[in-house]
Amino acid sequence: MIDIDRVRDDTPGCRDLVHLNNAGCALPPAAVLDTMVDYLRAEATHGGYETQRERAGQLAAVYDSLAVLIGAGSSEIALADNATRAWDMVFYGLRLGPGDRILTCRSEYGSNAIAYLQQAARTGVEVRVVGDDASGQIDLQQLEKELAEPGVRLVSMTHIPPRAA
């Protein structure tokens, strides 16, 4: 079980506020912050390539640690700079073409929607937007109908819509 008080105490940003935007910009705990600052200082004094070579074992250990955390093999772990880049790598790796369909929602992230439209233009995949119900949530009846049709290769629904400007 996670000791929430210990985690909050170990995360400097949690001392003065309640931070709920963890989907794309979680506050790092002190150990992560210290490790990153230490690494950047090493790069500043020794160079990026040299630091990477010197710390190769430390960097490789991240894959092993994450694998243990989620019950996977280290070869099954992939890391990316950010969530959008990770999503792009997976999405653009899909083999989509004519007859394939992508189902999305009205509140999809803009970068995802652009990627869908690019793939539609390149490959002929069809993009369908599932509408909202009267409460503003995804229309489950329409989604069910769309899923019953052949060719659905990807369902991408934003679980928390982006905040309106």
Coordinates of all heavy atoms in Angstrom, one line a residue, residues 16 22 27 46 49 64 68-69 80 82 84 114 120 149 159-160:
D16 N 2.9 23.0 -0.8 CA 2.2 24.3 -0.8 C 0.9 24.2 -1.6 O 0.2 25.3 -1.7 CB 3.1 25.4 -1.3 CG 4.3 25.6 -0.5 OD1 4.2 25.5 0.7 OD2 5.4 25.8 -1.1
N22 N -2.0 15.7 -13.2 CA -1.0 14.7 -13.3 C -1.0 13.9 -14.6 O -0.1 13.1 -14.8 CB -1.1 13.8 -12.1 CG -0.8 14.5 -10.8 OD1 0.2 15.2 -10.7 ND2 -1.7 14.3 -9.8
L27 N 4.1 16.3 -10.7 CA 5.2 16.9 -9.9 C 6.2 15.8 -9.6 O 5.8 14.8 -9.0 CB 4.6 17.6 -8.7 CG 3.6 18.7 -8.9 CD1 3.0 19.1 -7.5 CD2 4.2 19.9 -9.6
H46 N 30.9 17.7 -18.2 CA 31.6 16.7 -18.9 C 31.1 16.5 -20.4 O 31.8 15.8 -21.1 CB 31.5 15.3 -18.2 CG 32.1 15.3 -16.8 ND1 31.3 15.5 -15.7 CD2 33.4 15.2 -16.4 CE1 32.1 15.4 -14.6 NE2 33.3 15.3 -15.0
Y49 N 27.5 13.3 -24.4 CA 27.9 12.0 -24.8 C 28.7 11.3 -23.7 O 28.5 10.1 -23.4 CB 28.7 12.0 -26.1 CG 27.8 12.4 -27.3 CD1 28.3 13.4 -28.1 CD2 26.6 11.8 -27.6 CE1 27.5 13.8 -29.2 CE2 25.9 12.2 -28.7 CZ 26.3 13.2 -29.5 OH 25.6 13.6 -30.6
D64 N 14.8 -1.9 -16.1 CA 14.6 -3.0 -15.1 C 13.7 -2.6 -14.0 O 12.8 -3.4 -13.6 CB 16.0 -3.4 -14.5 CG 16.9 -4.0 -15.6 OD1 16.4 -4.6 -16.6 OD2 18.1 -3.9 -15.4
V68 N 9.9 -4.3 -13.2 CA 9.5 -4.9 -12.0 C 8.3 -4.3 -11.4 O 7.4 -5.0 -11.0 CB 10.7 -4.8 -10.9 CG1 10.2 -5.1 -9.5 CG2 11.9 -5.6 -11.3
L69 N 8.2 -3.0 -11.6 CA 7.0 -2.2 -11.1 C 5.7 -2.7 -11.7 O 4.7 -2.8 -11.0 CB 7.2 -0.7 -11.3 CG 6.1 0.2 -10.9 CD1 5.9 0.2 -9.4 CD2 6.3 1.6 -11.4
A80 N 9.7 7.5 -23.7 CA 9.6 8.6 -24.6 C 9.7 9.9 -23.8 O 9.5 9.9 -22.6 CB 8.4 8.5 -25.4
N82 N 7.8 12.4 -23.8 CA 6.5 12.9 -23.2 C 5.4 12.0 -23.8 O 5.6 11.2 -24.7 CB 6.3 14.4 -23.6 CG 6.3 14.7 -25.1 OD1 5.5 14.1 -25.8 ND2 7.3 15.5 -25.5
T84 N 2.7 12.8 -25.6 CA 2.3 13.0 -27.0 C 3.3 12.3 -27.9 O 2.9 11.6 -28.8 CB 2.3 14.5 -27.3 OG1 1.3 15.1 -26.5 CG2 2.0 14.7 -28.8
I114 N -5.2 15.7 -35.5 CA -4.4 16.0 -36.6 C -3.8 14.8 -37.2 O -3.7 14.6 -38.4 CB -3.3 17.1 -36.3 CG1 -4.0 18.5 -36.0 CG2 -2.3 17.2 -37.3 CD1 -3.1 19.5 -35.4
A120 N -5.6 9.6 -42.6 CA -6.7 9.5 -43.5 C -6.2 9.9 -44.9 O -6.5 9.3 -45.9 CB -7.9 10.3 -43.0
E149 N -19.9 -2.4 -36.7 CA -19.6 -2.4 -38.1 C -18.2 -2.9 -38.3 O -17.3 -2.6 -37.4 CB -19.7 -0.9 -38.7 CG -21.2 -0.4 -38.7 CD -21.2 0.9 -39.3 OE1 -20.4 1.3 -40.2 OE2 -22.2 1.7 -39.0
H159 N -10.4 10.5 -22.0 CA -11.2 10.3 -20.8 C -11.4 11.5 -20.0 O -12.4 11.6 -19.3 CB -10.5 9.2 -19.9 CG -9.2 9.7 -19.4 ND1 -8.0 9.8 -20.1 CD2 -8.9 10.0 -18.1 CE1 -7.1 10.2 -19.4 NE2 -7.5 10.4 -18.1
I160 N -10.6 12.5 -20.2 CA -10.8 13.8 -19.6 C -10.6 14.9 -20.7 O -9.4 15.1 -21.1 CB -9.9 14.1 -18.4 CG1 -10.1 13.0 -17.3 CG2 -10.1 15.5 -17.8 CD1 -9.1 13.1 -16.2

